[in-house]
Amino acid sequence: MDEMGFDTSSQNALASPSSSSLVLTNYPLLSALVAFAIAQSIKFFTSWYKERRWDFKQLVGSGGMPSSHSATVTALAMSIGFQEGFGGSLFATALVLACVVMYDATGVRLHAGRQAEVLNQIVYELPAEHPLAESRPLRELLGHTPPQVIIGCLLGIVTAVIGHLIILAASQS
């Protein structure tokens, strides 16, 4: 306890370098990063399959199938639930974050992308002498359709479950 009565033992454990505090052993973080990487890779290879060209923007870009945002936050929430328990406040916080991100992806960001499409078409049809005729096009792929979010969510759940099973298997050996 410190002079104000707070338990500082967990803070001291975080400050000291130990194998349990390494980023590489942070199951929720790794689960989220793996889910993101898988989702982006799926987009990358799907793009190649459809267009027969490598589009490296797909590795980091937003939009498309599956939603990497949904996969990331769902994997994070599920892995926190497995690690800390599904009844705790940390899981509740992660779950609410995941719901907000997925709602935003199908709401505001999806409609902003659709508005960008319309605005780009309007600018494209302007006469060449118009001051806006030479403006750069707006990004159109911002959000996700509900199926893209659902598939991303399922990918996140599967990623967290597989990670949890790997941890269980490793702890039993």
Side-chain angles (χ1 to χ4, degrees):
M1 297 279 181
D2 66 5
E3 61 274 358
M4 297 185 69
F6 292 106
D7 180 13
T8 59
S9 59
S10 63
Q11 292 172 347
N12 291 339
L14 290 175
S16 65
S18 68
S19 63
S20 64
S21 66
L22 291 174
V23 171
L24 297 177
T25 61
N26 188 324
Y27 160 56
L29 178 61
L30 289 175
S31 182
L33 292 174
V34 167
F36 175 82
I38 292 170
Q40 292 300 104
S41 297
I42 290 171
K43 291 183 210 181
F44 180 70
F45 288 108
T46 302
S47 170
W48 175 83
Y49 181 77
K50 286 180 182 176
E51 301 172 19
R52 295 289 185 225
R53 67 177 181 86
W54 295 110
D55 183 5
F56 291 99
K57 291 181 202 168
Q58 293 293 324
L59 290 173
V60 293
S62 60
M65 174 70 89
S67 166
S68 57
H69 292 88
S70 300
T72 303
V73 294
T74 304
L76 179 66
M78 287 296 294
S79 59
I80 287 173
F82 285 129
Q83 182 172 296
E84 306 292 331
F86 290 95
S89 59
L90 192 56
F91 171 71
T93 303
L95 181 62
V96 169
L97 170 73
C99 291
V100 168
V101 167
M102 290 186 285
Y103 178 79
D104 180 63
T106 59
V108 175
R109 288 181 39 239
L110 177 64
H111 293 287
R114 289 181 177 164
Q115 289 176 352
E117 285 179 47
V118 172
L119 290 171
N120 285 339
Q121 185 61 37
I122 290 170
V123 170
Y124 177 74
E125 293 175 6
L126 290 172
E129 62 274 359
H130 193 281
L132 293 177
E134 297 297 318
S135 62
R136 279 187 321 153
L138 298 170
R139 281 189 47 221
E140 296 176 4
L141 246 155
L142 299 173
H144 295 282
T145 63
Q148 293 170 339
V149 168
I150 291 168
I151 297 299
C153 179
L154 292 174
L155 174 62
I157 291 170
V158 168
T159 303
V161 167
I162 290 171
H164 182 65
L165 293 174
I166 290 170
I167 289 172
L168 287 177
S171 67
Q172 292 177 354
S173 58

